[in-house]
Structures are given as C-alpha cells and as structure tokens.
Amino acid sequence: MTTSPPVVLFDVNETLSDMGPLAAAFEASGLPATGAPLWFAQVLRDGFALTATGENPDFVALAGDTLRRHLAATPGARDQDEAVERILGVFTSLELHPDVAPAVAALSRTAELVTLSNGSAEIAESLLARGGVREHFSRCLSVAEAPRWKPAREAYEYAAQQTGRRVDELMLVAVHPWDIHGAAAAGLRTAWINRSGAAYPSYFRTAEIEVEDLVGLAEILARTEG
C-alpha cells in the first residue's frame, strides 16, 4: 500500500509553473506561439546532451542561446536582444498552476517539501513567493550545485544528501516522464502529474502514483499518512 513519504521533492518548470504566458511573449517577438514548447524542449534536449558528456550547463545561458537561434531563423522576428530579454523575463516571472497552492498547503502538514530544478534556485524561490507558498517549502535546490542535471542519478542523490534522507524516503513529483524515470532509476519514489491526459511512455519506469493534478496527490497521501 502507498504510504506518505517523509520528503516530497518537486520539479519546478511546468510541474509548478504555468508556462502558458510564454506563447504571447513569443508572438510579441515575431515568433509563432506554438514555438514556446518547442524552445523549452530543445533547451532540455541540449542540457541532457551536455549532461550525458559529463558537463553541468547553465540553464539560462542555454535558454538564451536557443532563443537567439530561433529568432535568427525566423523572418520578421524582432531585435534579438529585446526579444530574448522579453521572453526570458516572462519565463522568470510565471505564476503557479491553480492546483499548486491548496495541494502544497495540505502536503506540508505531513511531509517536508523541497524543490529540485534544472533551472536556478532563485527562479523557484521567486515563483513560490509570488504564489504565496514559499513558507511551505524547507528549501529550493538547483542542479547548478549538483554534479549533473536531472535525470542523471547524481541530481537526485544530491537532493537526498541535502535533506539528510535516504533516496527511498523522497518522492519526486513531476509532469515530465523523463524526470519520473530518472528518479525511479535512482531509487526515489515517484508521482506523475498528468494534467494533459497523455499516455505514459512504455520505455520509461512507471510512476508509483499517477494523478490529474497535485490536489489529487495530496488526497491520496493524506489517506495513507501514518
């Protein structure tokens, strides 16, 4: 039977943050609104490639470089410096998904809450502060201080070391199947937040829990607490 974990470890980008506003920022810069998810996926892809070769890249530097290449390849796109500043400005000032605040308030009653992002800890800190939930989190961690990005094992082990827990005492919560797979391979428990109703990739390790939103996760763990 599922039991409540001592530590709930949250991914940040897309799991906690609503990235919908990026579409308008892309359009204002002369890029297609549909390019926002592609841009983010390319940033992750290239970050993973660098991680696989033993490097630990800077997220913002990758994001800016990828944006500049998108702009250079798009006829009619705006001034690169202005566009990059606008889009990254939106990215660093996103809001929480509506389900986050009530869920983390409930989860914090029975578990320590921590974030682990491939982005900066400062972005996570400001996101949580704007959403009025920073007080529910004991700390915000970034892979910038870890040996490598998620989904490398070292990233999750870093989170366990920082919380003073065994890896199996942490439950990674994420919308990304690749993150669920990496955490499970490292020995963490996992919960997949499937807001879109997508099918889970058959080649990844499956999540212990699958729910439509974070409120659903909080309800499951509340029933099993103790």
Side-chain angles (χ1 to χ4, degrees):
M1 184 181 76
T2 297
T3 57
S4 182
V7 178
V8 178
L9 182 68
F10 289 88
D11 172 54
V12 176
N13 295 321
E14 292 189 294
T15 299
L16 298 180
S17 63
D18 179 2
M19 297 179 69
L22 283 170
F26 266 63
E27 281 193 314
S29 301
L31 296 169
T34 54
L38 175 62
W39 161 74
F40 185 66
Q42 288 178 333
V43 173
L44 291 178
R45 179 201 65 192
D46 292 350
F48 296 164
L50 290 167
T51 293
T53 59
E55 300 175 56
N56 190 338
D58 179 84
F59 185 94
V60 173
L62 277 182
D65 182 83
T66 306
L67 278 173
R68 291 181 186 280
R69 288 185 284 111
H70 274 259
L71 290 158
T74 304
R78 305 293 190 271
D79 175 79
Q80 284 193 12
D81 291 338
E82 179 184 338
V84 170
E85 183 177 356
R86 175 190 295 111
I87 293 170
L88 292 184
V90 171
F91 180 77
T92 57
S93 59
L94 296 170
E95 300 297 334
L96 298 171
H97 285 290
D99 60 312
V100 174
V104 299
L107 289 166
S108 68
R109 299 186 189 109
T110 59
E112 178 183 0
L113 307 188
V114 179
T115 64
L116 177 65
S117 178
N118 280 344
S120 73
E122 291 74 20
I123 290 177
E125 292 268 8
S126 61
L127 170 70
L128 299 176
R130 283 192 302 278
V133 297
R134 177 62 185 87
E135 64 184 26
H136 296 304
F137 289 80
S138 65
R139 66 191 72 196
C140 294
L141 302 176
S142 168
V143 298
E145 284 74 49
R148 293 196 291 165
W149 277 31
K150 299 183 295 177
R153 177 182 295 270
E154 295 94 328
Y156 306 103
E157 291 176 341
Y158 165 74
Q161 292 163 3
Q162 291 298 304
T163 57
R165 296 283 188 173
R166 301 189 312 270
V167 289
D168 63 353
E169 292 181 300
L170 277 65
M171 174 177 280
L172 186 279
V173 179
V175 298
H176 306 115
W178 58 261
D179 207 353
I180 296 296
H181 174 78
L188 280 70
R189 299 173 59 189
T190 55
W192 183 41
I193 309 304
N194 185 11
R195 290 196 178 94
S196 66
Y200 192 85
S202 62
Y203 42 79
F204 284 155
R205 297 193 186 198
T206 57
E208 176 184 336
I209 298 173
E210 177 183 342
V211 287
E212 295 180 356
D213 56 33
L214 286 170
V215 172
L217 175 63
E219 290 172 348
I220 289 172
L221 295 183
R223 291 197 298 268
T224 60
E225 195 274 325

Short mmCIF file of all heavy atoms in Angstrom, two decimals, residues 31-87:
data_model
loop_
_atom_site.label_atom_id
_atom_site.label_comp_id
_atom_site.label_asym_id
_atom_site.label_seq_id
_atom_site.Cartn_x
_atom_site.Cartn_y
_atom_site.Cartn_z
N LEU A 31 7.78 35.47 -33.20
CA LEU A 31 7.89 34.01 -33.28
C LEU A 31 6.50 33.39 -33.15
O LEU A 31 5.61 33.97 -32.53
CB LEU A 31 8.79 33.47 -32.15
CG LEU A 31 10.26 33.91 -32.18
CD1 LEU A 31 10.94 33.53 -30.87
CD2 LEU A 31 10.98 33.29 -33.36
N PRO A 32 6.28 32.21 -33.71
CA PRO A 32 4.98 31.57 -33.55
C PRO A 32 4.73 31.18 -32.10
O PRO A 32 5.65 30.74 -31.41
CB PRO A 32 5.07 30.33 -34.45
CG PRO A 32 6.53 30.07 -34.59
CD PRO A 32 7.20 31.40 -34.54
N ALA A 33 3.48 31.34 -31.65
CA ALA A 33 3.14 30.99 -30.27
C ALA A 33 3.42 29.52 -30.00
O ALA A 33 3.80 29.14 -28.88
CB ALA A 33 1.67 31.31 -30.01
N THR A 34 3.26 28.71 -31.01
CA THR A 34 3.49 27.26 -30.86
C THR A 34 4.97 26.92 -30.68
O THR A 34 5.31 25.78 -30.38
CB THR A 34 2.94 26.50 -32.08
OG1 THR A 34 3.52 27.06 -33.27
CG2 THR A 34 1.42 26.60 -32.15
N GLY A 35 5.83 27.92 -30.87
CA GLY A 35 7.26 27.68 -30.73
C GLY A 35 7.73 27.61 -29.29
O GLY A 35 8.84 27.13 -29.03
N ALA A 36 6.90 28.07 -28.35
CA ALA A 36 7.32 28.09 -26.95
C ALA A 36 7.60 26.69 -26.41
O ALA A 36 8.68 26.45 -25.83
CB ALA A 36 6.29 28.81 -26.09
N PRO A 37 6.69 25.71 -26.58
CA PRO A 37 7.00 24.36 -26.09
C PRO A 37 8.21 23.74 -26.80
O PRO A 37 8.99 23.02 -26.17
CB PRO A 37 5.72 23.57 -26.39
CG PRO A 37 4.64 24.61 -26.52
CD PRO A 37 5.32 25.80 -27.11
N LEU A 38 8.36 24.03 -28.10
CA LEU A 38 9.50 23.50 -28.84
C LEU A 38 10.79 24.07 -28.29
O LEU A 38 11.78 23.34 -28.11
CB LEU A 38 9.36 23.83 -30.32
CG LEU A 38 10.54 23.44 -31.22
CD1 LEU A 38 10.76 21.93 -31.19
CD2 LEU A 38 10.31 23.93 -32.64
N TRP A 39 10.81 25.37 -28.04
CA TRP A 39 12.01 26.01 -27.47
C TRP A 39 12.38 25.36 -26.14
O TRP A 39 13.55 24.99 -25.93
CB TRP A 39 11.74 27.51 -27.26
CG TRP A 39 12.68 28.15 -26.30
CD1 TRP A 39 13.99 28.46 -26.52
CD2 TRP A 39 12.39 28.55 -24.95
NE1 TRP A 39 14.54 29.04 -25.39
CE2 TRP A 39 13.59 29.11 -24.42
CE3 TRP A 39 11.25 28.53 -24.15
CZ2 TRP A 39 13.66 29.60 -23.12
CZ3 TRP A 39 11.32 29.01 -22.85
CH2 TRP A 39 12.52 29.54 -22.35
N PHE A 40 11.41 25.18 -25.25
CA PHE A 40 11.71 24.59 -23.95
C PHE A 40 12.21 23.16 -24.10
O PHE A 40 13.17 22.75 -23.43
CB PHE A 40 10.47 24.63 -23.06
CG PHE A 40 10.72 24.16 -21.65
CD1 PHE A 40 11.55 24.87 -20.81
CD2 PHE A 40 10.12 23.00 -21.18
CE1 PHE A 40 11.79 24.44 -19.51
CE2 PHE A 40 10.36 22.56 -19.89
CZ PHE A 40 11.19 23.28 -19.05
N ALA A 41 11.60 22.41 -25.00
CA ALA A 41 12.04 21.03 -25.24
C ALA A 41 13.47 20.99 -25.77
O ALA A 41 14.26 20.11 -25.41
CB ALA A 41 11.10 20.34 -26.21
N GLN A 42 13.83 21.95 -26.63
CA GLN A 42 15.20 21.99 -27.16
C GLN A 42 16.22 22.36 -26.09
O GLN A 42 17.33 21.83 -26.08
CB GLN A 42 15.26 22.97 -28.32
CG GLN A 42 14.56 22.46 -29.58
CD GLN A 42 14.59 23.47 -30.71
OE1 GLN A 42 14.67 24.67 -30.48
NE2 GLN A 42 14.53 22.97 -31.93
N VAL A 43 15.83 23.25 -25.19
CA VAL A 43 16.72 23.59 -24.08
C VAL A 43 17.00 22.35 -23.23
O VAL A 43 18.15 22.06 -22.88
CB VAL A 43 16.11 24.71 -23.21
CG1 VAL A 43 16.95 24.94 -21.95
CG2 VAL A 43 16.00 26.01 -24.00
N LEU A 44 15.94 21.61 -22.92
CA LEU A 44 16.12 20.38 -22.15
C LEU A 44 16.96 19.37 -22.91
O LEU A 44 17.88 18.75 -22.35
CB LEU A 44 14.76 19.77 -21.81
CG LEU A 44 13.89 20.54 -20.82
CD1 LEU A 44 12.56 19.84 -20.63
CD2 LEU A 44 14.60 20.71 -19.48
N ARG A 45 16.66 19.19 -24.21
CA ARG A 45 17.41 18.22 -25.01
C ARG A 45 18.90 18.51 -24.99
O ARG A 45 19.72 17.61 -24.76
CB ARG A 45 16.91 18.26 -26.46
CG ARG A 45 17.64 17.31 -27.41
CD ARG A 45 17.45 17.74 -28.85
NE ARG A 45 18.09 19.03 -29.11
CZ ARG A 45 17.90 19.75 -30.22
NH1 ARG A 45 17.08 19.31 -31.16
NH2 ARG A 45 18.53 20.91 -30.39
N ASP A 46 19.27 19.77 -25.22
CA ASP A 46 20.69 20.11 -25.28
C ASP A 46 21.33 20.05 -23.89
O ASP A 46 22.50 19.69 -23.75
CB ASP A 46 20.87 21.49 -25.90
CG ASP A 46 20.49 21.50 -27.38
OD1 ASP A 46 20.28 20.40 -27.95
OD2 ASP A 46 20.37 22.59 -27.97
N GLY A 47 20.55 20.38 -22.86
CA GLY A 47 21.05 20.23 -21.50
C GLY A 47 21.31 18.78 -21.17
O GLY A 47 22.33 18.44 -20.55
N PHE A 48 20.43 17.89 -21.61
CA PHE A 48 20.62 16.47 -21.38
C PHE A 48 21.86 15.97 -22.13
O PHE A 48 22.61 15.13 -21.61
CB PHE A 48 19.41 15.67 -21.86
CG PHE A 48 18.13 15.96 -21.12
CD1 PHE A 48 16.91 15.58 -21.65
CD2 PHE A 48 18.13 16.59 -19.89
CE1 PHE A 48 15.72 15.82 -20.98
CE2 PHE A 48 16.95 16.85 -19.20
CZ PHE A 48 15.74 16.46 -19.75
N ALA A 49 22.07 16.47 -23.35
CA ALA A 49 23.23 16.05 -24.13
C ALA A 49 24.52 16.45 -23.42
O ALA A 49 25.47 15.66 -23.35
CB ALA A 49 23.17 16.67 -25.52
N LEU A 50 24.57 17.65 -22.90
CA LEU A 50 25.76 18.10 -22.18
C LEU A 50 25.93 17.30 -20.88
O LEU A 50 27.06 16.96 -20.51
CB LEU A 50 25.66 19.60 -21.89
CG LEU A 50 25.78 20.49 -23.12
CD1 LEU A 50 25.35 21.93 -22.79
CD2 LEU A 50 27.21 20.48 -23.66
N THR A 51 24.82 17.01 -20.22
CA THR A 51 24.88 16.20 -19.01
C THR A 51 25.44 14.82 -19.30
O THR A 51 26.25 14.28 -18.54
CB THR A 51 23.47 16.08 -18.39
OG1 THR A 51 23.05 17.36 -17.91
CG2 THR A 51 23.46 15.10 -17.23
N ALA A 52 25.03 14.24 -20.43
CA ALA A 52 25.50 12.90 -20.81
C ALA A 52 27.00 12.86 -21.06
O ALA A 52 27.63 11.81 -20.94
CB ALA A 52 24.75 12.41 -22.04
N THR A 53 27.58 14.01 -21.41
CA THR A 53 29.02 14.07 -21.64
C THR A 53 29.79 14.57 -20.41
O THR A 53 30.96 14.93 -20.50
CB THR A 53 29.34 14.96 -22.86
OG1 THR A 53 28.82 16.29 -22.63
CG2 THR A 53 28.74 14.38 -24.12
N GLY A 54 29.10 14.62 -19.27
CA GLY A 54 29.76 14.94 -18.02
C GLY A 54 29.80 16.41 -17.66
O GLY A 54 30.49 16.79 -16.71
N GLU A 55 29.05 17.26 -18.38
CA GLU A 55 29.04 18.68 -18.09
C GLU A 55 27.79 19.06 -17.30
O GLU A 55 26.83 18.31 -17.23
CB GLU A 55 29.12 19.48 -19.39
CG GLU A 55 30.37 19.17 -20.20
CD GLU A 55 30.40 19.88 -21.54
OE1 GLU A 55 30.27 21.11 -21.56
OE2 GLU A 55 30.52 19.18 -22.56
N ASN A 56 27.83 20.24 -16.69
CA ASN A 56 26.69 20.76 -15.95
C ASN A 56 26.40 22.17 -16.46
O ASN A 56 26.88 23.15 -15.91
CB ASN A 56 26.97 20.78 -14.45
CG ASN A 56 25.73 21.07 -13.63
OD1 ASN A 56 24.76 21.63 -14.12
ND2 ASN A 56 25.76 20.70 -12.36
N PRO A 57 25.61 22.28 -17.54
CA PRO A 57 25.42 23.58 -18.20
C PRO A 57 24.55 24.55 -17.40
O PRO A 57 23.78 24.15 -16.52
CB PRO A 57 24.73 23.20 -19.52
CG PRO A 57 23.99 21.94 -19.19
CD PRO A 57 24.87 21.20 -18.22
N ASP A 58 24.68 25.81 -17.73
CA ASP A 58 23.86 26.86 -17.14
C ASP A 58 22.54 26.96 -17.90
O ASP A 58 22.54 27.17 -19.11
CB ASP A 58 24.60 28.20 -17.19
CG ASP A 58 23.77 29.33 -16.61
OD1 ASP A 58 23.78 29.49 -15.38
OD2 ASP A 58 23.10 30.03 -17.39
N PHE A 59 21.43 26.81 -17.20
CA PHE A 59 20.13 26.77 -17.84
C PHE A 59 19.82 28.06 -18.61
O PHE A 59 19.39 28.02 -19.77
CB PHE A 59 19.03 26.52 -16.80
CG PHE A 59 17.66 26.35 -17.39
CD1 PHE A 59 17.17 25.09 -17.68
CD2 PHE A 59 16.85 27.45 -17.66
CE1 PHE A 59 15.91 24.93 -18.23
CE2 PHE A 59 15.59 27.30 -18.21
CZ PHE A 59 15.12 26.04 -18.51
N VAL A 60 20.03 29.20 -17.99
CA VAL A 60 19.70 30.47 -18.62
C VAL A 60 20.55 30.71 -19.87
O VAL A 60 20.05 31.21 -20.89
CB VAL A 60 19.84 31.64 -17.63
CG1 VAL A 60 19.66 32.98 -18.33
CG2 VAL A 60 18.81 31.51 -16.50
N ALA A 61 21.83 30.35 -19.82
CA ALA A 61 22.69 30.50 -20.99
C ALA A 61 22.19 29.64 -22.14
O ALA A 61 22.14 30.10 -23.29
CB ALA A 61 24.12 30.14 -20.63
N LEU A 62 21.80 28.40 -21.85
CA LEU A 62 21.25 27.53 -22.89
C LEU A 62 19.95 28.11 -23.44
O LEU A 62 19.72 28.11 -24.65
CB LEU A 62 20.97 26.14 -22.32
CG LEU A 62 22.09 25.14 -22.23
CD1 LEU A 62 21.57 23.82 -21.69
CD2 LEU A 62 22.72 24.91 -23.59
N ALA A 63 19.09 28.58 -22.55
CA ALA A 63 17.79 29.12 -22.97
C ALA A 63 17.97 30.32 -23.88
O ALA A 63 17.30 30.45 -24.92
CB ALA A 63 16.96 29.49 -21.75
N GLY A 64 18.88 31.23 -23.51
CA GLY A 64 19.11 32.42 -24.33
C GLY A 64 19.70 32.09 -25.68
O GLY A 64 19.29 32.65 -26.71
N ASP A 65 20.66 31.19 -25.72
CA ASP A 65 21.28 30.81 -26.98
C ASP A 65 20.27 30.15 -27.91
O ASP A 65 20.24 30.43 -29.12
CB ASP A 65 22.45 29.86 -26.73
CG ASP A 65 23.16 29.46 -28.01
OD1 ASP A 65 24.02 30.23 -28.49
OD2 ASP A 65 22.84 28.39 -28.56
N THR A 66 19.43 29.28 -27.36
CA THR A 66 18.41 28.61 -28.17
C THR A 66 17.41 29.62 -28.73
O THR A 66 16.99 29.52 -29.89
CB THR A 66 17.68 27.55 -27.33
OG1 THR A 66 18.65 26.66 -26.76
CG2 THR A 66 16.71 26.74 -28.18
N LEU A 67 17.03 30.60 -27.93
CA LEU A 67 16.13 31.65 -28.40
C LEU A 67 16.75 32.45 -29.55
O LEU A 67 16.08 32.75 -30.54
CB LEU A 67 15.78 32.61 -27.26
CG LEU A 67 14.67 32.18 -26.30
CD1 LEU A 67 14.57 33.17 -25.14
CD2 LEU A 67 13.33 32.10 -27.04
N ARG A 68 18.01 32.78 -29.41
CA ARG A 68 18.67 33.56 -30.47
C ARG A 68 18.69 32.80 -31.79
O ARG A 68 18.52 33.38 -32.86
CB ARG A 68 20.10 33.92 -30.03
CG ARG A 68 20.14 34.93 -28.90
CD ARG A 68 21.56 35.30 -28.50
NE ARG A 68 21.54 36.16 -27.32
CZ ARG A 68 21.29 37.46 -27.35
NH1 ARG A 68 21.06 38.05 -28.51
NH2 ARG A 68 21.28 38.16 -26.23
N ARG A 69 18.88 31.50 -31.72
CA ARG A 69 18.88 30.71 -32.95
C ARG A 69 17.48 30.61 -33.55
O ARG A 69 17.32 30.63 -34.77
CB ARG A 69 19.47 29.33 -32.67
CG ARG A 69 20.98 29.40 -32.45
CD ARG A 69 21.62 28.04 -32.28
NE ARG A 69 21.39 27.48 -30.96
CZ ARG A 69 20.62 26.45 -30.70
NH1 ARG A 69 19.96 25.85 -31.69
NH2 ARG A 69 20.47 26.01 -29.48
N HIS A 70 16.46 30.54 -32.71
CA HIS A 70 15.09 30.57 -33.21
C HIS A 70 14.80 31.90 -33.91
O HIS A 70 14.20 31.94 -34.99
CB HIS A 70 14.10 30.39 -32.04
CG HIS A 70 13.82 28.97 -31.70
ND1 HIS A 70 12.67 28.32 -32.09
CD2 HIS A 70 14.54 28.06 -31.01
CE1 HIS A 70 12.70 27.08 -31.65
NE2 HIS A 70 13.82 26.90 -30.98
N LEU A 71 15.23 32.99 -33.29
CA LEU A 71 14.99 34.32 -33.85
C LEU A 71 15.73 34.51 -35.17
O LEU A 71 15.20 35.07 -36.13
CB LEU A 71 15.40 35.39 -32.84
CG LEU A 71 14.50 35.50 -31.60
CD1 LEU A 71 15.25 36.17 -30.46
CD2 LEU A 71 13.23 36.29 -31.94
N ALA A 72 16.98 34.05 -35.21
CA ALA A 72 17.79 34.20 -36.42
C ALA A 72 17.20 33.43 -37.60
O ALA A 72 17.36 33.83 -38.76
CB ALA A 72 19.22 33.73 -36.16
N ALA A 73 16.49 32.35 -37.31
CA ALA A 73 15.92 31.51 -38.37
C ALA A 73 14.49 31.89 -38.75
O ALA A 73 13.90 31.26 -39.62
CB ALA A 73 15.96 30.04 -37.93
N THR A 74 13.95 32.95 -38.10
CA THR A 74 12.54 33.33 -38.33
C THR A 74 12.46 34.68 -39.03
O THR A 74 12.81 35.71 -38.43
CB THR A 74 11.78 33.40 -37.00
OG1 THR A 74 11.90 32.15 -36.32
CG2 THR A 74 10.30 33.71 -37.23
N PRO A 75 12.01 34.73 -40.28
CA PRO A 75 11.85 36.01 -40.98
C PRO A 75 10.86 36.91 -40.23
O PRO A 75 9.81 36.45 -39.78
CB PRO A 75 11.28 35.61 -42.34
CG PRO A 75 11.69 34.17 -42.52
CD PRO A 75 11.65 33.58 -41.15
N GLY A 76 11.22 38.15 -40.08
CA GLY A 76 10.33 39.10 -39.43
C GLY A 76 10.40 39.11 -37.92
O GLY A 76 9.66 39.85 -37.27
N ALA A 77 11.30 38.32 -37.34
CA ALA A 77 11.45 38.32 -35.89
C ALA A 77 12.04 39.64 -35.43
O ALA A 77 12.75 40.32 -36.16
CB ALA A 77 12.33 37.17 -35.46
N ARG A 78 11.74 40.01 -34.18
CA ARG A 78 12.19 41.28 -33.63
C ARG A 78 13.68 41.25 -33.29
O ARG A 78 14.35 40.22 -33.41
CB ARG A 78 11.38 41.61 -32.37
CG ARG A 78 9.88 41.61 -32.57
CD ARG A 78 9.41 42.73 -33.48
NE ARG A 78 7.96 42.85 -33.46
CZ ARG A 78 7.12 42.20 -34.26
NH1 ARG A 78 7.61 41.37 -35.16
NH2 ARG A 78 5.82 42.36 -34.17
N ASP A 79 14.16 42.40 -32.82
CA ASP A 79 15.53 42.54 -32.37
C ASP A 79 15.87 41.43 -31.38
O ASP A 79 15.13 41.20 -30.42
CB ASP A 79 15.73 43.91 -31.71
CG ASP A 79 17.11 44.06 -31.11
OD1 ASP A 79 18.05 44.33 -31.87
OD2 ASP A 79 17.23 43.89 -29.88
N GLN A 80 16.95 40.73 -31.59
CA GLN A 80 17.27 39.56 -30.78
C GLN A 80 17.42 39.88 -29.30
O GLN A 80 16.85 39.19 -28.45
CB GLN A 80 18.54 38.89 -31.29
CG GLN A 80 18.34 38.09 -32.56
CD GLN A 80 19.53 37.18 -32.86
OE1 GLN A 80 20.41 36.99 -32.02
NE2 GLN A 80 19.57 36.63 -34.05
N ASP A 81 18.20 40.91 -28.98
CA ASP A 81 18.42 41.24 -27.57
C ASP A 81 17.10 41.58 -26.87
O ASP A 81 16.84 41.11 -25.76
CB ASP A 81 19.39 42.42 -27.44
CG ASP A 81 20.80 42.04 -27.86
OD1 ASP A 81 21.13 40.83 -27.84
OD2 ASP A 81 21.58 42.95 -28.21
N GLU A 82 16.28 42.39 -27.53
CA GLU A 82 14.99 42.77 -26.93
C GLU A 82 14.09 41.56 -26.77
O GLU A 82 13.43 41.40 -25.73
CB GLU A 82 14.31 43.81 -27.82
CG GLU A 82 12.95 44.26 -27.30
CD GLU A 82 12.27 45.22 -28.26
OE1 GLU A 82 12.98 45.84 -29.08
OE2 GLU A 82 11.03 45.32 -28.21
N ALA A 83 14.05 40.70 -27.79
CA ALA A 83 13.18 39.53 -27.75
C ALA A 83 13.62 38.54 -26.67
O ALA A 83 12.79 38.00 -25.93
CB ALA A 83 13.14 38.85 -29.10
N VAL A 84 14.91 38.29 -26.58
CA VAL A 84 15.43 37.37 -25.57
C VAL A 84 15.12 37.90 -24.18
O VAL A 84 14.69 37.15 -23.29
CB VAL A 84 16.94 37.14 -25.75
CG1 VAL A 84 17.52 36.40 -24.55
CG2 VAL A 84 17.21 36.36 -27.03
N GLU A 85 15.32 39.19 -23.98
CA GLU A 85 15.03 39.79 -22.68
C GLU A 85 13.55 39.67 -22.33
O GLU A 85 13.18 39.35 -21.20
CB GLU A 85 15.44 41.27 -22.68
CG GLU A 85 15.24 41.95 -21.33
CD GLU A 85 15.71 43.39 -21.33
OE1 GLU A 85 16.27 43.83 -22.35
OE2 GLU A 85 15.50 44.07 -20.31
N ARG A 86 12.68 39.90 -23.33
CA ARG A 86 11.24 39.82 -23.09
C ARG A 86 10.82 38.40 -22.72
O ARG A 86 10.13 38.17 -21.73
CB ARG A 86 10.46 40.26 -24.33
CG ARG A 86 8.94 40.08 -24.17
CD ARG A 86 8.18 40.29 -25.47
NE ARG A 86 8.29 41.66 -25.93
CZ ARG A 86 8.96 42.04 -27.01
NH1 ARG A 86 9.60 41.14 -27.76
NH2 ARG A 86 9.00 43.30 -27.37
N ILE A 87 11.25 37.42 -23.52
CA ILE A 87 10.81 36.05 -23.31
C ILE A 87 11.37 35.48 -22.01
O ILE A 87 10.65 34.85 -21.22
CB ILE A 87 11.21 35.17 -24.51
CG1 ILE A 87 10.42 35.60 -25.75
CG2 ILE A 87 10.96 33.70 -24.20
CD1 ILE A 87 10.89 34.97 -27.04
#
